[in-house]
Amino acid sequence: MKEGFLLVISGPAGTGKGTVCNALLEKDKDIMFSVSSTTRLPREGEVDGVNYNFITKEIFEKMVEADKFLEHAYVHTNYYGTSEESVMKGVADGKVVLLEIDVQGALQVKEKHPEVVTIFLLPPSMEELERRIVDRNTETEEEINKRMENAYKEISLVSKYDYYVVNDDLDIAINEIESIVKAEKLRVKRNPKIEDYILEKGGN
């Protein structure tokens, strides 16, 4: 069986991470989405246990104390974290486990699991990024300013990632990420018994 791997997609708020991840999940059934836990309130249309596990700050802190998280971070006045047990089980089952997490969390995962594949989703411009955040109509002016401030800090860390994709045209961005996933699936290190498989099939 092919070995699975962790796939992290990060990027500033407003770059379209959720839309991109949903499209990938529809196209590739080998990809398993890791549902993160968060202390923030659900946005309109979000479902508990599907988009996030929405939990209280008290429960989150208890999980941190029990070392239940692969990564966790404080972002935009709320906590976010990824369960290590569920993620690593998916990898062991040969799945590509998709983590849609912020830069802080991505670097934590990379420190624990250097083999993780990381993709940074970039906006076509900072002006477009701000327009997208404003158009969501879910944040106050103060919150928008904070997200833009964080975006500049996050983009300065793009060099720590394996790949970048600019989300200007959604279809192109998704195709580029699909190409990355396909290439990573074909790495010899993820297919340690490929030689035996070919020889058993009568190859030379």
Side-chain angles (χ1 to χ4, degrees):
M1 182 176 68
K2 292 183 179 181
E3 293 182 1
F5 59 91
L6 298 174
L7 174 66
V8 165
I9 294 182
S10 297
T15 50
K17 298 185 295 295
T19 301
V20 166
C21 289
N22 287 337
L24 288 173
L25 292 167
E26 286 186 11
K27 287 190 169 187
D28 190 337
K29 299 308 177 184
D30 285 338
I31 298 179
M32 178 187 111
F33 184 66
S34 170
V35 180
S36 298
S37 297
T38 182
T39 59
R40 78 161 170 78
L41 295 174
R43 295 194 184 112
E44 185 177 352
E46 289 184 330
V47 179
D48 184 35
V50 176
N51 303 99
Y52 286 97
N53 295 313
F54 295 99
I55 61 177
T56 65
K57 182 180 176 182
E58 290 72 24
I59 293 175
F60 193 99
E61 289 173 343
K62 287 180 180 179
M63 292 178 70
V64 171
E65 290 175 7
D67 198 26
K68 297 288 188 182
F69 291 122
L70 174 65
E71 58 80 27
H72 60 88
Y74 184 70
V75 186
H76 307 308
T77 72
N78 289 294
Y79 289 99
Y80 294 81
T82 302
S83 167
E84 183 157 21
E85 182 180 359
S86 61
V87 163
M88 298 318 295
K89 183 182 184 302
V91 171
D93 289 341
K95 293 287 187 179
V96 177
V97 182
L98 175 60
L99 283 68
E100 180 196 333
I101 55 179
D102 76 298
V103 175
Q104 293 179 57
L107 297 182
Q108 287 180 41
V109 173
K110 197 164 189 175
E111 186 174 341
K112 287 186 177 182
H113 298 279
E115 72 281 3
V116 63
V117 178
T118 54
I119 302 174
F120 199 103
L121 197 63
L122 289 165
S125 69
M126 298 309 287
E127 291 78 10
E128 172 63 15
L129 180 66
E130 184 170 8
R131 186 193 67 76
R132 291 178 183 178
I133 296 173
V134 171
D135 286 351
R136 293 195 310 198
N137 199 30
T138 57
E139 287 94 1
T140 64
E141 184 176 351
E142 182 181 355
E143 289 171 332
I144 291 169
N145 291 336
K146 182 65 175 177
R147 288 186 182 277
M148 290 302 299
E149 179 184 333
N150 287 337
Y152 280 99
K153 292 177 182 177
E154 291 167 344
I155 289 174
S156 71
L157 296 172
V158 68
S159 62
K160 297 186 180 295
Y161 281 68
D162 300 313
Y163 304 94
Y164 76 89
V165 170
V166 177
N167 188 16
D168 188 4
D169 183 293
L170 181 61
D171 290 335
I172 292 174
I174 291 169
N175 287 339
E176 289 179 344
I177 295 174
E178 281 188 295
S179 296
I180 292 169
V181 172
K182 288 176 182 177
E184 289 292 337
K185 284 182 177 181
L186 294 174
R187 281 189 180 272
V188 173
K189 69 179 182 180
R190 303 196 202 287
N191 300 271
K193 296 184 179 180
I194 189 63
E195 182 180 355
D196 293 341
Y197 172 80
I198 295 298
L199 291 175
E200 287 173 3
K201 294 292 185 181
N204 297 316

